[in-house]
């Protein structure tokens, strides 16, 4: 609530009616050739505040999200009108079909007859042929209106949830066609769109899926199903010119399905990458931000996001959207999108869902945040997911061996997994029970046409054209082993002595061994896989220590049961909790093994096996899709791209080129030709493609190849001024050529379309700094940091801009943030030092100097800077930073000098200023010792100096040191020390005078002052010797008297 107190979601439900819980948006459309009229909210007959109906609706939503293969079917509420009860039973049928991931069965249900008629294959083909996607959207809008209008009084919410189930089923089919397989189902002819259609026949859908200037990948299978899901969930308008998104899908968990659809859409963009390329701010808001909006977010509540974790998630996502709102991109969309997400959905809760479902949703959010580069809250989200299921793990070292003939045990990377939840241990799912009027355990098994086609290669056109990969070694059949093909090292190389997994020492006790070897439940597996993803996305993929940790986590996921168990005939015998999580474990193991010569070949063959298993008949699609949104498993075309990249790195450049050509990944195909020094062929390939099917992306590729800005301008024109990459490339071109004003103009055009490019913001800010547009640069770097808060160089440049504008305090704050993010970068600390000097900030200067010493950059400390700091402290200078005076920093500066001289004792001026500080603090004996060290350090480098001017400067410094030394030895407090040090000091000065005299005798053209300094040194030596003799005579007289 607004005062920070918690509210029990069940209490909220008890006090609200159905009208408040499930608002309905109906579409009133004028049948016109122009456009669809704006959607108008209509009044809904309430359920008389019937709590049973609310509980029924909530249980349906939870069942749609449940990750278990079986679920408890809720009973329809009693004491309702017969028509409403029939609506409840119809919704139960849709739930059953949706859980089976069978879109054909959902559309075959007579309850959705009006919508199914529009989505029949002949109807969709006719609509697309006559008026394109706009015509199909208009017909679908009318069908949705008819479906809503036919609802009995009080049943509108049921129908809204039915449309949500239809949208989720369409999304799951899209995920099946591109992520999990098996390919197109045999009932494909009963589906709205042809999943085997090539990009030429799917161009309308591909154009509709372009978002924020980022085009969709042209070979995604079944883009129509993604469009349908996005349209029903309110992410896309159903007709051109519709200012408000036409939507009927309803439910408290609607943002969850919107987020899933948005993230699947994000991953389907042509250049999407977790490294910051191809990311859409519109989809970011839907996929991440809306899930944690307080109080309406579906993941807000008990057992999910609360307190500090919720605040941290919101703080992570808000700056990105604020940057987006400050550009022109979001303002035009806010009215439409928000009206159908936040405003049409009441405060949502999933607190009543099972612990495994809640944990999987938290893992989902954590993985998405990692993908978008928001890493700061990952640990909190993962801890919340672990707490939900009573699970914990640690990566540790366990004694054991890793090689076959190894005799000495060493610590091996291992993962200990502990669980306190009774549900953690994998157990057999109950068999499907017959349909009954009472509660029943239902199994998500397709009815009727549920068998998969024998030939499913048409699901992905790229698969037919892909080149044959090298034959993989023989491996056990997946159907026989009960798990995806897990290639063994020995099957790849029979001479390999590396063990599949570490063999732990016999000293490991049974409890520890159980934690190391117990097969994990599916929800535990996705938690470990999320950790793998976090390490991969946040770290250096070439860091061997990181890869070993990823490998240990993946190996822990791959632990299987001793015997396979068949829970369902459609899935076959299973030796692991979930087929997809096991496949994802193999994927991460491949990533962790590519760098090692002993495992590189197995990793390459394993990736090929993961691509091939897409078309395996078992397990069923419903099993594969249970965790598709949580496991982080890559799409098939991403796996194929990974194969190509590995081929290129292994030197198989031509084979990789053919792979990328078949996948129509033209930038990667061009890279292969460039690596092979076939530049002319690369240009010819792109020109041939442009001659047949020109696209903005191809024109930009040609522009990059030929360094010709006109090609990027052509791409921009061809895209209707929407292809942001063209302007990004133009901006880089102009920046490199020094035409900074045009570079800024191009960058601004690109960032208005898609501002989620921190590198472009940064480069534009640098150009504005060079143009001395400091006010513009201030805004630019601020927005850069809104997108990527950890960009240390952007913080440093923002500090430089503030300094140029005279805002030194703000500059110091920015440099403080820069040094936090680049703690080991000496340049940041040097800049921080300069800013602190401008502010007269003694404490900040000492901090910066100390860090420079720790980074072995003490040579970068200027004598003038150290002198000014010392004098400010000694003289107790006022008017310093924060109104403090110099004496306040005496202890800190003294400690710094102790640290500095312990690290580097060879620089004379360190000892000089240290001695002056010690004298000021009354530490005369210590000051004397520092001056002796100064004299030794100065003489060690003086006589090797060949430059006359530098020699003179250092000789003068040595002379001043000897003068101060003589004065110190004359102090009454040091009389005892003087007896010991006078003669050695006199000898040291005399030795320096003789060295200088010898240098003059060699005829070296010296400075006119050398002779004068020689006489001064002799004078000091004579004085010290005389005092030493006097002290000695006095001491002798005393000894005689005592005798």
């Amino acid at each position: 609530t607004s005062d920070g107190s918690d509210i029990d979601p069940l209490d909220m439900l008890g006090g609200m009616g159905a009208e408040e819980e499930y608002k309905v948006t109906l579409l009133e459309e004028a049948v016109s050739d122009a456009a669809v009229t704006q959607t108008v909210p209509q009044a809904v007959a309430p359920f008389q505040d019937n709590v049973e109906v609310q509980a029924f609706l909530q249980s349906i939503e939870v069942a749609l999200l449940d990750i278990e293969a079986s679920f408890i079917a809720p009973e329809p509420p009693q004491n309702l009108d017969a028509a409403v009860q029939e609506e409840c039973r119809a919704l139960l049928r849709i739930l059953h079909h949706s859980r089976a991931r069978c879109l054909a069965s959902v559309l075959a249900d007579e309850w959705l007859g009006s919508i199914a008629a529009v989505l029949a294959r002949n109807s969709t083909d006719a609509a697309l042929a006559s008026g394109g996607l706009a015509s199909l959207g208009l017909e679908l809008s009318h069908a949705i209106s008819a479906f809503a209008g036919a609802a009995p009084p009080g049943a509108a919410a049921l129908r809204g949830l039915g449309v949500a189930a239809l949208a989720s089923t369409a999304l799951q089919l899209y995920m099946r066609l591109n992520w999990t397989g098996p390919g197109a189902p045999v009932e494909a002819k009963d589906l709205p769109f042809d999943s085997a259609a090539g990009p030429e026949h799917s161009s309308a859908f591909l154009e509709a899926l372009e978002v924020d200037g980022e085009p969709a990948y042209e070979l995604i299978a079944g883009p129509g199903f993604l469009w349908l899901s996005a349209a029903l969930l309110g992410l896309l308008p159903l007709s051109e010119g519709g200012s408000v998104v036409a939507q009927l899908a309803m439910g408290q968990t609607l943002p969850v399905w919107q987020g899933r659809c948005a993230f699947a859409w994000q991953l389907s963009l042509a250049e999407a990458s977790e490294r910051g390329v191809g990311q859409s701010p519109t989809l970011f808001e839907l996929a991440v931000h809306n899930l944690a909006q307080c109080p309406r977010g579906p993941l807000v509540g008990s057992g999910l996001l609360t307190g500090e974790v919720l605040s941290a998630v919101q703080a992570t996502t808000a700056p990105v959207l604020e940057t987006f709102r400050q550009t022109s991109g979001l303002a035009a969309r806010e009215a439409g999108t928000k009206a159908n997400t936040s405003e049409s959905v009441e405060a949502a809760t999933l607190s009543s869902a099972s612990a495994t479902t809640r944990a999987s949703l938290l893992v989902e959010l954590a993985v998405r945040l990692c993908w978008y580069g928001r890493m700061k809250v990952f640990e909190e989200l993962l801890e919340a997911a672990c707490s939900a299921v009573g699970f914990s793990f640690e990566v540790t070292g366990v004694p054991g061996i890793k090689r076959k003939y190894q005799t000495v045990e060493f610590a091996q990377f291992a993962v200990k997994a502990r669980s306190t939840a009774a549900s953690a241990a994998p157990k057999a799912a109950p068999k499907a029970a017959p349909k009954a009027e009472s509660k029943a355990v239902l199994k998500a098994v397709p009815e009727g046409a549920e068998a998969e086609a024998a030939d499913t290669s048409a699901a992905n056109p790229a698969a037919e054209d892909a080149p044959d990969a090298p034959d993989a070694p023989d491996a056990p059949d997946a159907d026989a082993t009960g798990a995806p093909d897990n290639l063994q090292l020995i099957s790849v190389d029979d001479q390999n002595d590396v063990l599949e997994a570490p063999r732990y020492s016999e000293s490991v006790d049974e409890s520890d061994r159980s934690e190391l070897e117990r097969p994990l439940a599916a929800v535990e597996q996705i938690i470990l896989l999320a950790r793998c993803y976090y390490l991969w996305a946040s770290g250096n993929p070439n860091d061997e220590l990181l890869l070993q940790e990823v490998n240990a986590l993946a190996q822990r996921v791959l632990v299987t049961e001793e015997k396979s168990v068949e829970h369902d005939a459609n899935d076959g015998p299973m030796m692991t909790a979930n087929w997809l999580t096991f496949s994802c474990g193999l994927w991460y193991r491949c990533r962790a093994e590519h760098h090692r010569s002993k495992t590189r070949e197995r990793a390459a063959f394993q990736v090929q096996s993961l691509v091939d298993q897409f078309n395996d008949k078992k397990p069923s699609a419903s099993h594969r899709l249970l965790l598709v949104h949580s496991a982080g498993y890559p799409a098939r075309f991403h796996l194929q791209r990974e194969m190509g990249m590995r081929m290129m790195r292994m030197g198989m450049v031509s084979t990789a080129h053919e792979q990328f050509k078949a996948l129509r990944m033209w930038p990667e195909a061009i890279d292969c030709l460039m690596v092979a020094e076939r530049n002319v062929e690369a240009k010819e390939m792109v020109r041939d493609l442009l001659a047949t099917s020109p696209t903005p992306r191809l024109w930009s590729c040609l522009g990059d190849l030929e360094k010709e800005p006109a090609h990027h301008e052509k791409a921009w024109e061809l895209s209707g001024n929407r292809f942001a990459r063209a302007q990004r490339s133009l901006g880089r071109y102009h920046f490199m050529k020094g035409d900074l004003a045009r570079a800024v103009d191009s960058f601004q055009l690109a960032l208005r379309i898609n501002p989620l490019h921190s590198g472009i913001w940064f480069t534009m800010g640098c150009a504005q700094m060079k143009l001395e547009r400091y006010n513009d640069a201030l805004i630019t770097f601020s927005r850069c940091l809104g997108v990527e808060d950890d960009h240390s160089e952007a913080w440093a440049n923002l500090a430089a801009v503030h300094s140029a504008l005279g805002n030194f305090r703000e500059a110091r704050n920015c440099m403080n943030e820069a040094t936090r993010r680049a703690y080991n970068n000496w340049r940041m600390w040097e800049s921080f030092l300069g800013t602190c000097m401008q502010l007269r900030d003694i404490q900040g200067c000492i901090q910066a100097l100390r860090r420079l010493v720790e980074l072995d950059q003490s040579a970068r400390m200027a004598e003038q800077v150290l002198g000014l700091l010392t004098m400010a402290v000694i003289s107790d200078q006022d008017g310093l930073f924060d109104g403090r005076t110099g004496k306040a920093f005496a202890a800190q500066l003294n400690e710094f000098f102790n640290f500095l001289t312990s690290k580097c004792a060879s620089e004379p001026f360190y000892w000089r200023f240290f001695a002056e500080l010690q004298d000021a603090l009354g530490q005369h004996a210590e000051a004397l010792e520092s001056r002796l060290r100064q004299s030794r350090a100065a003489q060690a480098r003086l006589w090797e100096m060949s430059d006359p001017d530098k020699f003179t400067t250092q000789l003068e410094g040595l002379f001043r040191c000897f003068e101060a030394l003589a004065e110190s030895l004359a102090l009454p407090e040091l009389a005892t020390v003087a007896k010991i040090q006078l003669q050695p000091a006199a000898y040291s000065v005399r030795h320096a005078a003789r060295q200088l005299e010898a240098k003059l005798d060699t005829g070296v053209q010296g400075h006119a002052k050398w002779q004068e300094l020689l006489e001064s040194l002799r004078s000091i030596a004579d004085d010290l010797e005389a005092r030493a003799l006097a002290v000695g005579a006095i001491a002798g007289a005393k000894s005689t008297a005592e005798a």
Side-chain angles (χ1 to χ4, degrees), residues 791-812:
H791 200 311
S792 59
E793 293 182 349
W795 280 110
N797 281 6
L798 184 59
V801 172
H802 276 301
S803 294
L805 294 173
N807 307 325
F808 296 115
R809 283 183 175 267
E810 290 81 357
R812 184 194 185 282

Side-chain angles (χ1 to χ4, degrees), residues 140 144 163-164 166-168 170-172 174 193 205 208-209 223-238 245-249 254 257-265 283 286 337 340-341:
L140 187 55
I144 291 174
V163 176
L166 171 61
S168 70
L171 175 62
Q172 296 294 70
Y174 176 77
F193 314 110
F205 296 116
L209 294 174
F225 300 108
L226 178 60
W227 172 86
L228 176 61
S229 177
L232 294 176
L233 291 171
L235 310 187
L236 280 173
L238 283 177
V245 178
Q247 166 202 322
L248 182 62
L254 183 63
W257 288 106
Q258 288 176 326
R260 288 178 168 182
C261 182
F263 195 58
W265 186 357
L283 300 180
L286 294 165
T337 304
N340 294 285
T341 54

Side-chain angles (χ1 to χ4, degrees), residues 578 766 778 810 903:
N578 184 273
C766 293
L778 193 68
E810 290 81 357
K903 295 292 184 181

Side-chain angles (χ1 to χ4, degrees), residues 938-945 951 955 958 992 995-996 999:
Q939 292 189 74
R941 63 173 59 182
L942 176 65
W943 310 115
E944 303 297 327
M945 188 68 62
F951 180 83
L955 183 61
L958 179 62
Q995 287 280 86
L996 179 58
K999 190 175 183 70

Side-chain angles (χ1 to χ4, degrees), residues 741-791:
R742 294 184 67 185
V744 169
D745 292 342
S746 294
F747 287 144
Q748 286 176 337
L749 287 173
L751 291 169
R752 286 194 189 106
I753 298 171
N754 186 351
L756 282 189
H757 285 268
S758 59
I760 300 301
W761 283 112
F762 181 79
T763 308
M764 185 171 78
C766 293
Q768 290 167 334
M769 285 180 68
K770 292 182 178 180
L771 292 170
E772 298 185 358
R773 300 179 186 175
Y774 294 117
N775 289 320
D776 292 341
L778 193 68
I779 297 172
T780 299
F781 285 121
S782 299
R783 292 184 178 175
C784 174
L785 293 169
V787 176
E788 186 180 351
D789 181 63
D790 289 331
H791 200 311

